[in-house]
Amino acid sequence: MASVVSKKRKKNTTSLSHLKTLGHDLLTSRAHINNLPTLLSFVSSSSPPQYVLEALLSLQAFFTSVLPDLPSSSKKPSSRTVSQDDPEFIYRTWLKAKFDEFVKSLIDVLVSPQSEETIKELVLDTLMEFVKLGNGGRFNSAIYHKLVHSIVHSATPVTFLLDLLVSKYFKYIDIRYFTYIIVEKICRTLEEKSVSDGDNESQSKESTENLIHNVHYILSRIPALEGSADKADYEMWSGSGEPENVSGKLKGEDKKKKSDQNNSKILTASNSAKKMKPKFTKAWLSFLRLPLPLDVYKEVLASLHTAVIPYLSNPVILCDFLTTSYDIGGVISVMALSSLFILMTQHGLEYPNFYEKLYALLVPSIFMAKHRSKFFQLLDSCLKSPLLPAYLAAAFAKKLSRLSISVPPSGALVIIALIHNLLRRHPSINCLVHRVDEEASKGDSEADKKVSENSEDPINSADVSNKKLCIDHFKNEESDPKKSKAMRSSLWEIDTLRHHYCPAVSRFVLSLENDLTVRAKTTELSIEDFSSGSYATIFADETKGKTSSTGILQSTSHLFVLRH
């Protein structure tokens, strides 16, 4: 048994040594060009890592030296300059075919689950060197497209490769530029394929979702273009790409004209920066048209207002995506609110049913949602306009008031702060604080008469008193704030918070006893100070005596009580 193992080791050592000899001979003389196919056969995920490494290093050194002489696959040779029967042309064409085979083998090794991470990193660096040099010194978009396309469509996890790509190469502006172009093409192809397939259940939903996850991973990690697009000091991966001197035989104006045309096609750092915004916009729009998985959908909505909208050519083009998301309801609507609010306030988007949808989001579950803090801040901002109709401000105030008796203490604190700001901004709804219902008043006088006439019957008297105190015209289940009859109601629920079991709530509600119509003596409350509260924060503030959110509540409520 030991002899068999020793023979295998000797064979492996000899093979590896022979492989090194083949590579050395290939690099020293064209006479050993037949070593090229042999070396290529070792660039495979099934080969041992040390064999892959040795073959890769030899082949990279060989092709790097001959790349400038290889014919372009996109251009056909001119019969006047080069004959297709020319041995040199045949040789270079054969080399080009072998180079393409080498690139394909490298990509196969790169995305193979059998390859080690060290080999993958080396392969990626080799491919990126070919991207840098494989087009006459200019960016080889064909190789880069194959690379990104293979990574994105890989059925195995490629997070390691994507992280390498992001950390090593996304700092170069030309890499970013071509990445946006490739992502747009991938998304368009996927969209067309899904449309043509229709309801074909044989289509693997899992593979499609995996592809979308990979595309989003790339898009969300491309650094934004900071500063002016006119800057010329952005880092480029490839050279400036000076065109070859094809105008040597031209003279005068023709030479200058040809030179200007060539210069206009050069992708410089400045040109890339100027073209970046349209490419960014097209890539994201193509991506948002795809059937996004729920987790990706939420991630996109969570970052859209900060990572995407500021860099779009025209942010209003997102209106269909955002209004559709906002109409879905639930947590999706909450997450779409930030971006939709930016489009409405900063880019002139008109959305007639915005407040009706916002009103529908006021349900008990919103006070326990993950993004509740941002939602309450946006809700406060949406209700800030002095042009807001009184019935709308009253409907929101009353809806919040009704919710205050069924939400956790932290939710009640936010509600009090929101109602405080509403009453201060819209004096016309302050009647809700001290509402005397006309019908109830008439009932009072009639009831008093009956009580005086039937004073001997205390049961009758109690029944009449109960009837006159149970009138609230507000329609809590009505989805249209205009039909909720909030202006005919009152904020009686807020008065019950004076006896709330949580001291922070019962103290803070005293702030609403002040006359909020006198703006000179009052100030708006920052919703941010209350929107992130929970049982834990309230308990911590009460036990430790820290002046965080509860401390602010105490000082604010005492201030209002003193002024009152």
Side-chain angles (χ1 to χ4, degrees):
M1 183 69 182
S3 61
V4 174
V5 174
S6 63
K7 286 181 180 179
K8 286 187 176 181
R9 284 182 180 174
K10 187 175 181 181
K11 183 179 178 182
N12 288 341
T13 305
T14 304
S15 299
L16 186 58
S17 176
H18 181 59
L19 200 62
K20 290 181 180 180
T21 303
L22 290 176
H24 180 268
D25 292 342
L26 178 64
L27 294 173
T28 54
S29 173
R30 184 185 286 194
H32 301 283
I33 193 63
N34 288 330
N35 293 351
L36 181 59
T38 306
L39 289 167
L40 280 172
S41 65
F42 283 93
V43 183
S44 169
S45 58
S46 59
S47 300
Q50 62 269 30
Y51 285 72
V52 177
L53 177 60
E54 189 60 43
L56 188 153
L57 293 175
S58 298
L59 291 171
Q60 180 185 8
F62 173 77
F63 280 117
T64 301
S65 63
V66 300
L67 269 180
D69 299 327
L70 297 184
S72 173
S73 58
S74 61
K75 294 181 181 180
K76 294 183 179 180
S78 174
S79 59
R80 293 179 299 176
T81 58
V82 180
S83 172
Q84 294 189 11
D85 296 330
D86 181 29
E88 187 64 23
F89 172 74
I90 295 174
Y91 170 71
R92 292 180 181 179
T93 304
W94 179 79
L95 281 182
K96 182 66 171 71
K98 292 303 176 183
F99 174 72
D100 293 339
E101 182 183 342
F102 180 44
V103 170
K104 183 181 183 303
S105 298
L106 287 176
I107 292 176
D108 290 342
V109 172
L110 186 70
V111 297
S112 172
Q114 301 174 6
S115 302
E116 296 180 356
E117 290 187 351
T118 52
I119 294 295
K120 288 185 176 184
E121 184 171 1
L122 181 61
V123 169
L124 179 62
D125 293 340
T126 301
L127 286 168
M128 291 306 294
E129 282 298 320
F130 290 152
V131 168
K132 185 177 184 178
L133 305 171
N135 190 22
R138 296 187 294 275
F139 195 98
N140 193 314
S141 58
I143 296 178
Y144 188 61
H145 183 277
K146 292 177 184 177
L147 170 64
V148 176
H149 185 275
S150 299
I151 293 176
V152 168
H153 285 80
S154 175
T156 57
V158 288
T159 306
F160 173 74
L161 294 177
L162 292 175
D163 287 339
L164 279 179
L165 202 60
V166 170
S167 61
K168 281 190 167 186
Y169 300 104
F170 276 8
K171 62 182 178 180
Y172 300 105
I173 193 167
D174 49 348
I175 297 287
R176 294 186 239 170
Y177 176 82
F178 284 103
T179 302
Y180 285 132
I181 294 176
I182 295 168
V183 165
E184 182 198 357
K185 290 180 180 179
I186 292 174
C187 293
R188 283 180 179 271
T189 303
L190 184 60
E191 182 185 8
E192 292 169 1
K193 187 175 181 181
S194 60
V195 171
S196 62
D197 289 344
D199 297 328
N200 186 8
E201 295 297 333
S202 63
Q203 178 79 10
S204 175
K205 182 179 178 182
E206 184 178 351
S207 62
T208 302
E209 290 186 354
N210 183 61
L211 191 154
I212 293 175
H213 275 92
N214 290 339
V215 171
H216 177 251
Y217 194 93
I218 291 176
L219 267 182
S220 61
R221 283 162 178 78
I222 300 178
L225 188 63
E226 301 294 343
S228 172
D230 296 328
K231 288 172 62 179
D233 57 348
Y234 293 109
E235 283 190 89
M236 295 274 288
W237 174 242
S238 65
S240 59
E242 293 294 338
E244 297 177 4
N245 187 16
V246 296
S247 58
K249 297 181 180 180
L250 299 178
K251 297 182 180 180
E253 295 182 358
D254 292 337
K255 183 175 180 179
K256 183 178 180 181
K257 183 178 180 181
K258 188 70 175 179
S259 178
D260 291 341
Q261 290 177 354
N262 287 331
N263 288 336
S264 65
K265 296 179 181 180
I266 298 174
L267 186 65
T268 62
S270 179
N271 289 341
S272 299
K274 290 178 181 178
K275 297 176 182 178
M276 189 71 74
K277 184 170 283 191
K279 299 302 180 185
F280 175 91
T281 301
K282 289 180 180 179
W284 270 103
L285 287 181
S286 299
F287 175 71
L288 294 177
R289 293 191 190 102
L290 299 177
L292 304 180
L294 184 59
D295 56 339
V296 175
Y297 201 166
K298 290 181 179 180
E299 288 181 30
V300 168
L301 289 175
S303 60
L304 203 64
H305 61 290
T306 57
V308 179
I309 289 180
Y311 307 103
L312 292 175
S313 299
N314 179 18
V316 178
I317 57 182
L318 287 180
C319 63
D320 289 340
F321 174 77
L322 289 173
T323 52
T324 301
S325 303
Y326 192 59
D327 291 342
I328 291 176
V331 67
I332 298 296
S333 294
V334 173
M335 299 180 74
L337 182 59
S338 297
S339 299
L340 194 60
F341 181 72
I342 290 176
L343 294 191
M344 292 177 62
T345 56
Q346 299 179 18
H347 301 281
L349 176 67
E350 295 184 4
Y351 184 35
N353 298 324
F354 175 77
Y355 283 101
E356 285 78 0
K357 298 291 183 181
L358 184 61
Y359 185 79
L361 293 177
L362 295 178
V363 292
S365 60
I366 197 65
F367 291 86
M368 291 167 279
K370 181 179 179 180
H371 301 278
R372 64 184 183 276
S373 176
K374 186 65 177 178
F375 170 75
F376 291 130
Q377 294 174 49
L378 287 170
L379 175 63
D380 184 60
S381 299
C382 293
L383 301 175
K384 189 173 289 187
S385 173
L387 301 178
L388 202 68
Y391 79 86
L392 203 55
F396 275 93
K398 179 60 182 178
K399 185 73 172 181
L400 289 168
S401 178
R402 181 61 59 87
L403 287 170
S404 67
I405 59 178
S406 60
V407 299
S410 57
L413 294 175
V414 180
I415 287 175
I416 295 171
L418 287 167
I419 292 178
H420 174 279
N421 288 347
L422 277 170
L423 293 174
R424 186 178 182 277
R425 294 167 186 162
H426 308 282
S428 58
I429 69 169
N430 271 268
C431 58
L432 299 178
V433 179
H434 303 289
R435 165 70 69 193
V436 179
D437 191 82
E438 295 178 0
E439 295 180 10
S441 297
K442 292 178 181 178
D444 286 350
S445 58
E446 294 176 4
D448 289 341
K449 290 180 181 178
K450 290 182 180 180
V451 170
S452 60
E453 292 173 0
N454 306 298
S455 56
E456 297 177 358
D457 189 356
I459 298 177
N460 243 352
S461 172
D463 289 342
V464 172
S465 299
N466 287 334
K467 288 180 181 178
K468 71 176 182 180
L469 293 176
C470 296
I471 300 175
D472 189 348
H473 301 284
F474 177 66
K475 297 181 178 181
N476 189 47
E477 303 302 324
E478 177 59 55
S479 59
D480 186 354
K482 193 172 185 178
K483 299 177 182 178
S484 64
K485 295 186 179 181
M487 287 296 287
R488 297 185 63 189
S489 182
S490 66
L491 304 182
W492 60 265
E493 299 91 347
I494 296 299
D495 186 61
T496 65
L497 298 183
R498 292 162 55 91
H499 310 288
H500 199 279
Y501 70 87
C502 179
V505 175
S506 59
R507 287 195 299 265
F508 188 38
V509 75
L510 297 177
S511 65
L512 298 181
E513 292 184 359
N514 198 45
D515 186 3
L516 298 177
T517 59
V518 184
R519 295 194 177 189
K521 296 183 179 180
T522 59
T523 57
E524 282 196 6
L525 298 179
S526 174
I527 302 301
E528 187 177 1
D529 295 337
F530 310 96
S531 57
S532 300
S534 63
Y535 281 110
T537 57
I538 293 176
F539 181 78
D541 290 339
E542 289 294 325
T543 55
K544 297 180 181 179
K546 290 187 176 181
T547 57
S548 53
S549 58
T550 306
I552 295 173
L553 303 183
Q554 292 178 9
S555 59
T556 306
S557 59
H558 287 319
L559 178 61
F560 282 118
V561 170
L562 290 173
R563 286 180 176 175
H564 183 67

